[in-house]
């Protein structure tokens, strides 16, 4: 498998994992989650976490938002996400 295919397969898996975390949250009492909460649920390694912006997770969430699967909720500047209905 080429590096390009490996990258796209990995990205697909990360996107699905993030989406599933939000989907599970939507079935629970708290359908909205912050970048930090998503990282915690996924046990994202500290080296991939930038406490200021959570760049890796934010990029995945932006991609999911472009796909129309999640949306950002206005919460006074804090990035809060949920599954788009």
């Amino acid at each position: 498998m080429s590096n390009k295919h490996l990258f796209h397969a990995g990205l697909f898996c990360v996107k699905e994992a993030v989406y599933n975390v939000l989907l599970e949250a939507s079935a629970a009492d708290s359908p909205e989650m912050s970048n930090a909460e998503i990282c915690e649920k996924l046990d994202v390694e500290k080296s991939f976490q930038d406490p200021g912006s959570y760049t890796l997770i934010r990029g995945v969430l932006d991609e999911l938002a472009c796909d129309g699967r999640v949306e950002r909720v206005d919460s006074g500047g804090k990035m809060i996400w949920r599954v788009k209905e």
Side-chain angles (χ1 to χ4, degrees):
M1 187 178 272
S2 73
N3 290 332
K4 187 176 183 177
H5 286 110
L6 285 170
F7 174 79
H8 286 285
L11 185 57
F12 173 81
C13 290
V14 171
K15 284 173 59 175
E16 290 305 303
V18 170
Y19 181 73
N20 284 339
V21 164
L22 287 170
L23 198 58
E24 289 171 3
S26 72
D29 292 336
S30 55
E32 301 167 354
M33 298 183 79
S34 69
N35 295 353
E37 292 168 325
I38 294 167
C39 283
E40 185 178 322
K41 274 283 198 194
L42 291 172
D43 196 25
V44 175
E45 293 180 28
K46 294 287 184 200
S47 60
F48 289 109
Q49 293 182 31
D50 170 12
S53 63
Y54 294 91
T55 308
L56 176 65
I57 294 300
R58 172 65 193 274
V60 170
L61 289 161
D62 285 342
E63 187 70 21
L64 288 168
C66 286
D67 292 346
R69 297 172 71 188
V70 302
E71 61 187 351
R72 185 174 172 191
V73 180
D74 186 19
S75 182
K78 188 175 181 183
M79 289 192 190
I80 304 294
W81 300 87
R82 67 177 171 212
V83 170
K84 191 169 182 179
E85 295 179 11

